[in-house]
Amino acid sequence: MSKYWSGLVRNIEPYVPGEQPKDKTYIKLNTNENPYPPSPKVLEAMKQAANENIRLYPTPTCDELRSCIAQYYGLTNKEQVFMGNGSDELLAFVFLAFFNPGSPILFPDITYSFYPVYASLFHIDYRPVPLDGNFSIPIKEFFKKNGGIIFPNPNAPTGKYITLGSIEDILKQNTNQVVVVDEAYIDFGGESAVKLINNYPNLLVVQTLSKSRSLAGLRVGFAMGHEDLIEGINRVKNSINSYTLDRVALAGAMASFADEEYFQNTRRKVIATREKTIFRLLEIGFTVIPSQANFIFISHPLTSAGDIYQQLREKGILVRYFNKPRIDNFLRVSIGSDEEMEYFLKALAEIIDAVCP
Amino acid sequence: MSKYWSGLVRNIEPYVPGEQPKDKTYIKLNTNENPYPPSPKVLEAMKQAANENIRLYPTPTCDELRSCIAQYYGLTNKEQVFMGNGSDELLAFVFLAFFNPGSPILFPDITYSFYPVYASLFHIDYRPVPLDGNFSIPIKEFFKKNGGIIFPNPNAPTGKYITLGSIEDILKQNTNQVVVVDEAYIDFGGESAVKLINNYPNLLVVQTLSKSRSLAGLRVGFAMGHEDLIEGINRVKNSINSYTLDRVALAGAMASFADEEYFQNTRRKVIATREKTIFRLLEIGFTVIPSQANFIFISHPLTSAGDIYQQLREKGILVRYFNKPRIDNFLRVSIGSDEEMEYFLKALAEIIDAVCP
């Protein structure tokens, strides 16, 4: 605490990202990164962009990339797309653009832990909606009076997905406020709500290139919705930072959307590995929440998640453990390559065997 | 205006960056970019960073780069350095971290036009301090009661510089609040206040790689100050976006600080061109505000700045014109290469000759 800090900074509890230890090399199954590199064409485009023009500001409006994404998703035009320096920055802008102090917003009680951080930073009240006993989102709770709604689909850290039908129900019941569907993990088995955009002016769909497009290190996210919503986010962005995406990130993102075959192959491989992993986990007695994401949320009836986390760490494997009510006996495990998951399953079997031989 | 916009978004007036027209190729003297590319070693480091590891998140703490900058500036340690996605983002965080609603901050009335935008976005009251008739900052106005102080040194768009002695006076009179010295242009002739950091815990120095290091397209800025101040900014950053700098930007920035000879040569060339340009402008009757920046602020007694701006534009040269009280007869002209400035001076002489032959 410093006497120079604003009242706001004294009272916030910042988000804590997954650990990035440097003491040794770990198998990293803790931050939902993609085990496969991006398309070689993406790396080539990035190298090409590392040229003398880097002395010049990048485009503040990202027109070319926004047109590319609008076309990819069958939208009407680029004015329905907003680009952010990763989807986290974009979500922060969304909280400022659409939510108001004194008008509580709704999001699940078990969800992306950045939401309450944004709310606290910008003095937005919120009411957490408790997931049911199966970690499903009780859709009807979103029909109650609110100042806006945000949830990930699939949800994090559970991986649970709700259908477009449920999302339409939520949109129809909330025509006077914005409903944000955070689709960071949608490409691993879900169906994007992007196709609903032209019918629902209150829908904002947020995606990222960090997961399914293997570009966590490049910091590119985007939002899609009615152009009035996009203009609202733009007003916030243009009051904070005119140029959020650098020239290399813009080039890499463009190239990613151009190599559809690579993208499809990569996401299919991750999905296949997830399904194989789930099968093996069930065999050794784990509870596995059905996942449409590139991670799984697992629990064992006889061994505490905290213990398993610690023992995996000692064996050189990082997974994510949240020491929070209701989920403190679960681990969130990112889907790595087949070899990484084989190593993980072997280590896990050893840990379980030691407890219940 | 949309019914979905928050009260905040309805009431903000976003910052407008310098134009980036695409109708034809201009000589761009309007956004203070460096006419020279970055060191070839920077481009090489960026290309190297465009590798398969881009699938992994970048470091959220930028430890290596912060250590490098701390060492470069003779600071005690990396905890005195904060990295941002350009200095604009960082300045937005600074407003949240150190300034409070209801406690008006001070900045010059003629200054970087993003300051009032941040203040408005975050409900920070402010009192503009009028520059004197020579566009100098009246230092003693900063001795009055305030909730914080921010100013660029050299100031923008005037280019006028105040000495470290004056900055120390301001710091001594304001020990209970933060004084932010925005040194975006300091490398073009001024002396950085960074050497005062270990003596003044209320001093925050902000710099960027966009201007003197020719990396506007890479989006890297940084702040230096007492580690309590840096922690305050970090708390804001970690409530908005964990990873603001991508892997390529981190690599490019590191390489920039490693090639000191290139950096010194480049900034000396810009300074030399500035001085030559000023000499020629005085010859054709212009008033030129003394500049320690990579731009100059100029006015002609017989021709309106708005007219000159328009005629230069027609001749394929972009400069910056601010249609605001007190400065609406001035143009801000970035220092380009010798060839670009030769072309600019020739065009300008034609325009002036037509008015007063």
Side-chain angles (χ1 to χ4, degrees):
Chain A
M1 185 75 78
S2 154
K3 72 172 175 179
Y4 297 115
W5 291 4
S6 66
L8 182 139
V9 158
R10 287 163 199 251
N11 291 317
I12 53 179
E13 189 70 49
Y15 174 78
V16 180
E19 61 190 329
Q20 311 264 19
K22 288 178 188 139
D23 56 335
K24 61 177 180 176
T25 303
Y26 289 90
I27 292 184
K28 276 189 89 260
L29 305 177
N30 69 326
T31 50
N32 299 342
E33 290 149 333
N34 199 308
Y36 307 107
S39 157
K41 291 176 187 167
V42 170
L43 298 179
E44 184 51 36
M46 290 170 60
K47 286 190 169 77
Q48 291 291 332
N51 63 41
E52 301 197 342
N53 281 337
I54 205 80
R55 74 179 180 85
L56 300 170
Y57 282 100
T59 163
T61 51
C62 310
D63 286 345
E64 206 183 347
L65 178 54
R66 288 160 70 215
S67 292
C68 159
I69 290 175
Q71 189 174 15
Y72 184 88
Y73 283 103
L75 296 174
T76 313
N77 63 60
K78 70 173 164 39
E79 306 309 325
Q80 295 170 298
V81 181
F82 175 89
M83 300 306 309
N85 175 33
S87 59
D88 284 343
E89 175 192 79
L90 193 164
L91 289 169
F93 294 169
V94 162
F95 271 65
L96 280 171
F98 306 123
F99 303 152
N100 290 288
S103 188
I105 63 166
L106 305 179
F107 50 77
D109 66 338
I110 297 168
T111 195
Y112 188 31
S113 45
F114 230 131
Y115 300 158
V117 174
Y118 300 134
S120 152
L121 181 69
F122 300 129
H123 305 291
I124 309 293
D125 299 321
Y126 62 93
R127 282 204 308 271
V129 170
L131 297 187
D132 69 19
N134 296 321
F135 292 137
S136 291
I137 293 176
I139 305 300
K140 287 187 178 153
E141 291 297 312
F142 285 152
F143 299 172
K144 293 180 179 165
K145 187 173 186 318
N146 67 75
I149 291 172
I150 183 167
F151 58 90
N153 194 36
N155 195 12
T158 64
K160 265 206 155 175
Y161 170 73
I162 61 171
T163 63
L164 290 197
S166 295
I167 289 175
E168 282 204 84
D169 290 344
I170 296 169
L171 289 164
K172 285 175 187 161
Q173 296 286 333
N174 291 280
T175 53
N176 286 318
Q177 57 272 27
V178 177
V179 176
V180 183
V181 184
D182 180 355
E183 295 189 338
Y185 303 103
I186 196 68
D187 292 325
F188 299 106
E191 188 180 11
S192 173
V194 67
K195 63 172 61 166
L196 304 178
I197 283 173
N198 283 333
N199 295 330
Y200 297 95
N202 56 331
L203 168 63
L204 191 79
V205 174
V206 176
Q207 293 199 7
T208 175
L209 278 67
S210 295
K211 318 291 185 179
S212 57
R213 294 182 183 273
S214 310
L215 287 171
L218 199 61
R219 319 306 306 125
V220 187
F222 57 104
M224 299 177 286
H226 188 284
E227 57 190 82
D228 284 352
L229 299 190
I230 299 307
E231 190 189 338
I233 314 174
N234 256 318
R235 288 173 67 91
V236 171
K237 189 211 82 159
N238 289 327
S239 301
I240 291 182
N241 189 2
S242 308
Y243 316 91
T244 55
L245 268 73
D246 66 55
R247 287 173 170 268
V248 179
L250 288 162
M254 284 286 290
S256 174
F257 284 99
D259 194 346
E260 180 66 9
E261 187 185 345
Y262 187 93
F263 168 69
Q264 293 295 349
N265 282 342
T266 304
R267 74 184 188 110
R268 279 198 207 107
K269 276 198 285 187
V270 172
I271 292 169
T273 304
R274 178 186 70 210
E275 297 307 311
K276 272 190 286 190
T277 304
I278 291 174
F279 184 82
R280 296 274 296 279
L281 285 166
L282 294 172
E283 280 187 334
I284 58 172
F286 272 85
T287 302
V288 184
I289 308 298
S291 169
Q292 300 290 320
N294 71 335
F295 57 83
I296 46 179
F297 204 48
I298 66 172
S299 180
H300 196 272
L302 301 175
T303 317
S304 90
D307 284 351
I308 300 176
Y309 162 77
Q310 202 50 52
Q311 288 185 58
L312 283 171
R313 202 176 196 290
E314 283 157 20
K315 289 171 185 284
I317 301 168
L318 290 179
V319 299
R320 192 86 196 256
Y321 173 62
F322 300 91
N323 194 359
K324 289 182 181 171
R326 293 189 71 191
I327 59 171
D328 59 359
N329 205 31
F330 280 82
L331 296 172
R332 191 195 69 186
V333 182
S334 308
I335 301 300
S337 66
D338 279 334
E339 296 69 33
E340 287 172 325
M341 297 320 280
E342 203 57 55
Y343 192 89
F344 160 74
L345 286 162
K346 188 166 163 288
L348 205 55
E350 286 168 12
I351 293 165
I352 301 300
D353 278 352
V355 179
C356 30
Chain B
M1 183 76 77
S2 155
K3 72 172 176 180
Y4 298 115
W5 290 5
S6 67
L8 182 138
V9 158
R10 287 162 198 249
N11 291 317
I12 53 179
E13 190 69 50
Y15 174 77
V16 180
E19 60 189 329
Q20 311 264 17
K22 286 176 188 143
D23 55 334
K24 60 176 183 177
T25 303
Y26 290 90
I27 294 185
K28 275 189 91 263
L29 305 178
N30 68 327
T31 50
N32 298 342
E33 290 149 335
N34 200 308
Y36 306 106
S39 158
K41 292 176 187 165
V42 170
L43 297 179
E44 184 51 37
M46 289 170 60
K47 286 191 170 75
Q48 292 290 332
N51 64 40
E52 300 199 340
N53 281 336
I54 205 81
R55 73 177 181 86
L56 300 170
Y57 281 101
T59 163
T61 52
C62 310
D63 286 346
E64 206 183 347
L65 178 55
R66 288 160 69 215
S67 292
C68 159
I69 290 175
Q71 190 174 13
Y72 184 89
Y73 283 101
L75 297 174
T76 313
N77 63 60
K78 69 174 165 40
E79 306 309 325
Q80 295 170 298
V81 181
F82 174 89
M83 300 307 308
N85 176 32
S87 60
D88 284 343
E89 175 191 81
L90 193 164
L91 290 169
F93 294 168
V94 162
F95 271 65
L96 279 172
F98 306 124
F99 302 152
N100 290 288
S103 188
I105 65 166
L106 305 178
F107 50 76
D109 67 337
I110 297 168
T111 194
Y112 187 31
S113 45
F114 230 132
Y115 300 158
V117 176
Y118 300 135
S120 154
L121 181 68
F122 300 129
H123 304 290
I124 310 292
D125 298 322
Y126 63 93
R127 281 204 308 271
V129 170
L131 296 187
D132 70 19
N134 297 319
F135 292 137
S136 292
I137 293 176
I139 306 299
K140 287 188 178 150
E141 291 298 312
F142 286 152
F143 299 173
K144 293 179 178 166
K145 186 172 185 323
N146 67 76
I149 291 170
I150 182 166
F151 58 90
N153 194 35
N155 195 12
T158 65
K160 264 207 154 173
Y161 169 75
I162 63 172
T163 64
L164 290 196
S166 294
I167 289 174
E168 281 203 85
D169 290 342
I170 295 169
L171 289 164
K172 285 175 186 160
Q173 296 286 332
N174 290 281
T175 53
N176 287 318
Q177 55 272 28
V178 176
V179 177
V180 182
V181 185
D182 180 354
E183 295 189 337
Y185 303 103
I186 196 68
D187 292 326
F188 299 105
E191 187 179 11
S192 173
V194 66
K195 63 172 62 164
L196 304 177
I197 281 173
N198 284 333
N199 296 330
Y200 297 94
N202 55 332
L203 169 63
L204 191 79
V205 175
V206 175
Q207 293 198 6
T208 175
L209 278 68
S210 295
K211 318 290 185 182
S212 58
R213 295 184 182 272
S214 310
L215 288 171
L218 199 61
R219 319 306 305 126
V220 187
F222 57 104
M224 299 177 287
H226 188 285
E227 56 191 83
D228 284 353
L229 298 191
I230 300 306
E231 190 189 337
I233 314 175
N234 256 318
R235 288 173 67 91
V236 172
K237 189 211 84 159
N238 289 326
S239 300
I240 291 181
N241 189 1
S242 307
Y243 316 92
T244 54
L245 268 74
D246 66 54
R247 287 174 170 267
V248 179
L250 288 162
M254 284 285 291
S256 174
F257 284 98
D259 195 346
E260 180 66 9
E261 189 185 345
Y262 186 94
F263 167 70
Q264 293 295 350
N265 283 341
T266 304
R267 72 184 190 110
R268 278 197 208 108
K269 276 196 285 186
V270 173
I271 292 169
T273 304
R274 178 185 70 210
E275 296 307 311
K276 272 189 286 188
T277 304
I278 290 173
F279 184 80
R280 297 273 297 279
L281 285 166
L282 294 171
E283 280 186 332
I284 57 172
F286 273 86
T287 302
V288 184
I289 308 298
S291 169
Q292 301 291 319
N294 70 336
F295 57 84
I296 47 180
F297 204 50
I298 66 173
S299 182
H300 196 273
L302 300 176
T303 318
S304 90
D307 285 351
I308 300 176
Y309 161 79
Q310 200 52 50
Q311 289 185 59
L312 284 172
R313 202 174 196 289
E314 281 156 22
K315 289 170 184 283
I317 301 168
L318 291 179
V319 300
R320 193 90 196 254
Y321 173 60
F322 300 91
N323 195 359
K324 289 182 182 172
R326 293 188 71 191
I327 58 171
D328 59 359
N329 206 30
F330 279 82
L331 296 172
R332 192 195 68 187
V333 182
S334 309
I335 302 300
S337 66
D338 279 334
E339 296 70 30
E340 287 172 323
M341 298 320 279
E342 204 55 55
Y343 191 90
F344 160 74
L345 287 162
K346 188 166 163 290
L348 205 54
E350 286 168 13
I351 294 166
I352 301 300
D353 279 350
V355 179
C356 30

